[in-house]
């Protein structure tokens, strides 16, 4: 995997770029140094602790990396964004994000890896997850450096993810914040409940439409706990319609409506503001 990067400020060293700006771990930085993966604009090996001028172009050439997943070639998923660093694609409801057992290949990451392999690549790793019943945008890193950088951005809340949900009842407040710690429900293996001893979890919501017996909300995650939106909406008293695990009224097809419709962030390698929105919902 090869790409070029233009240094954004004076005085930054390669070491500082990788460790401080991109947040890469010691192991991957050491591997890049040993593999002589970073060259200057004359394609010569760089001095890692030498200050660089703004505008200097660095060339990265990473050794091939292989994903642990098996590519699946007979499923084409809608791709909304792709460059040499990552892909953002639409996961349909009912599809798992990744395999949970040996031999399982009917998942989102298997299908995306199939696309990557057909286009000459060999590596794909999901940056975040969606529940099997939740549809929408998922990001996949196409090389290990991107995976490290995007993991850090997710941890530091620099990847903004917006969701749409159809919930039971008319939500009184036009907007608000659900700040309730979430923990495991000791009476159910997979369910999460509000608990003072749980992990901190914050969800912002805005009502975009109200009907007789339901409301359509847009929600933004500050944290990314398991089942966070589903559990928080149930805690609010407005479970997602069809989400019977959290007390929502059943639907004819057994599905619930929670869709990750938008992602926004600053591209870590180009500095561009990226906003990807699924307009097909």
């Amino acid at each position: 995997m090869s790409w070029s990067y233009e240094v954004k400020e004076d005085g930054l060293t390669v070491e500082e770029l990788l460790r401080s700006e991109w947040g890469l771990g010691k192991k991957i930085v050491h591997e890049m140094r040993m593999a002589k993966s970073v060259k200057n604009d004359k394609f010569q090996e760089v001095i890692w602790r030498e200050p660089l001028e703004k505008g200097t172009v660095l060339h990265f050439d990473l050794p091939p990396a292989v994903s642990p997943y098996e590519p699946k070639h007979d499923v084409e998923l809608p791709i909304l964004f792709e460059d040499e660093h990552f892909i953002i694609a639409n996961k349909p409801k009912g599809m798992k994000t990744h395999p949970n057992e040996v031999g399982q290949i009917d998942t989102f990451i298997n299908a995306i890896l199939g696309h990557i392999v057909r286009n000459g690549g060999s590596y794909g790793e999901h940056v975040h997850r969606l529940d099997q019943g939740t549809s929408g945008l998922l990001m996949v890193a196409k090389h290990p450096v991107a995976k490290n950088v995007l993991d850090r951005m997710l941890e530091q809340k620099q990847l903004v993810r917006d969701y749409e949900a159809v919930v039971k009842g008319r939500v009184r407040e036009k907007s608000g914040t659900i700040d309730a710690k979430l923990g495991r429900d000791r009476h159910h293996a997979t369910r999460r409940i509000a608990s003072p001893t749980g992990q901190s979890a914050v969800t912002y919501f805005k009502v975009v439409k109200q009907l007789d017996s339901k409301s359509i909300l847009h929600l933004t995650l500050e944290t990314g706990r398991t089942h966070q939106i589903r559990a928080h909406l149930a805690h609010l008293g407005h479970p997602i319609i069809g989400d019977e695990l959290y007390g929502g009224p059943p639907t004819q097809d057994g599905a619930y409506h929670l869709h990750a419709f938008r992602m926004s962030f600053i591209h870590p390698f180009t500095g561009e503001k990226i906003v990807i929105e699924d307009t097909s919902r």
Side-chain angles (χ1 to χ4, degrees):
M1 169 61 68
S2 302
W3 80 91
S4 299
Y5 175 81
E6 184 176 318
V7 176
K8 304 294 190 294
E9 59 183 271
D10 283 322
L12 199 65
T13 68
V14 172
E15 184 88 25
E16 289 168 339
L17 172 67
L18 301 185
R19 295 296 304 277
S20 301
E21 295 291 307
W22 291 357
L24 301 185
K26 288 183 180 180
K27 181 180 178 183
I28 192 169
V29 170
H30 176 72
E31 289 172 351
M32 292 174 70
R33 188 195 292 269
M34 292 299 101
K36 300 180 179 178
S37 296
V38 190
K39 304 288 195 301
N40 61 21
D41 53 5
K42 296 179 181 178
F43 290 91
Q44 299 169 333
E45 188 177 353
V46 297
I47 300 173
W48 281 55
R49 296 189 177 179
E50 181 178 274
L52 301 167
E53 292 183 1
K54 179 180 178 180
T56 299
V57 176
L58 299 175
H59 299 282
F60 291 82
D61 188 12
L62 301 180
V66 178
S67 174
Y69 305 111
E70 183 179 340
K72 186 171 177 61
H73 295 289
D74 59 350
V75 176
E76 288 280 356
L77 296 177
I79 293 174
L80 283 77
F81 178 92
E82 181 174 12
D83 64 8
E84 63 265 51
H85 305 293
F86 56 86
I87 292 173
I88 298 174
N90 218 332
K91 183 189 84 69
K93 64 178 62 181
M95 176 181 275
K96 293 183 177 179
T97 296
H98 57 81
N100 291 320
E101 53 191 56
V102 176
Q104 190 176 51
I105 63 169
D106 294 322
T107 76
F108 172 84
I109 192 64
N110 298 104
I112 291 298
L113 187 59
H115 167 83
I116 291 170
V117 169
R118 289 193 298 275
N119 287 276
S122 60
Y123 178 94
E125 286 284 353
H126 53 88
V127 176
H128 55 113
R129 299 172 178 82
L130 292 177
D131 294 339
Q132 185 172 349
T134 303
S135 59
L137 304 183
L138 271 174
M139 177 183 279
V140 174
K142 293 174 68 175
H143 57 80
V145 170
K147 177 69 166 76
N148 273 253
V149 172
L150 294 166
D151 281 347
R152 178 187 61 82
M153 290 176 65
L154 185 67
E155 185 179 311
Q156 295 182 353
K157 304 177 179 61
Q158 295 173 357
L159 297 177
V160 179
R161 295 164 289 158
D162 298 311
Y163 295 75
E164 182 174 274
V166 181
V167 304
K168 177 184 176 182
R170 294 174 63 89
V171 180
R172 291 181 181 180
E173 301 86 356
K174 291 185 177 180
S175 62
T177 301
I178 309 171
D179 186 351
K181 293 181 178 180
L182 295 176
R184 291 183 179 274
D185 184 344
R186 59 178 179 160
H187 301 295
H188 196 288
T190 59
R191 191 164 51 208
R192 300 299 191 270
I193 58 171
S195 168
T197 60
Q199 294 178 303
S200 64
V202 178
T203 304
Y204 305 103
F205 71 88
K206 179 175 67 174
V207 178
V208 294
K209 191 173 184 180
Q210 287 188 327
L211 304 170
D212 288 341
S213 60
K214 59 187 178 182
S215 303
I216 299 175
L217 308 183
H218 283 179
L219 307 108
T220 302
L221 293 173
E222 181 175 297
T223 52
R225 307 302 181 196
T226 300
H227 295 188
Q228 178 173 317
I229 289 176
R230 299 167 65 189
H232 266 174
L233 289 174
H235 176 67
L236 191 67
H238 296 280
I240 298 171
I241 292 175
D243 191 4
E244 295 183 65
L245 179 63
Y246 285 95
T251 53
Q252 206 165 29
D253 60 2
Y256 61 85
H257 184 95
L258 179 59
H259 183 70
F261 74 93
R262 184 168 56 216
M263 290 186 67
S264 52
F265 54 94
I266 302 298
H267 195 300
F269 302 111
T270 68
E272 293 177 85
K273 172 72 173 180
I274 304 291
V275 179
I276 306 298
E277 184 164 349
D278 174 23
T279 57
S280 66
R281 68 187 192 284

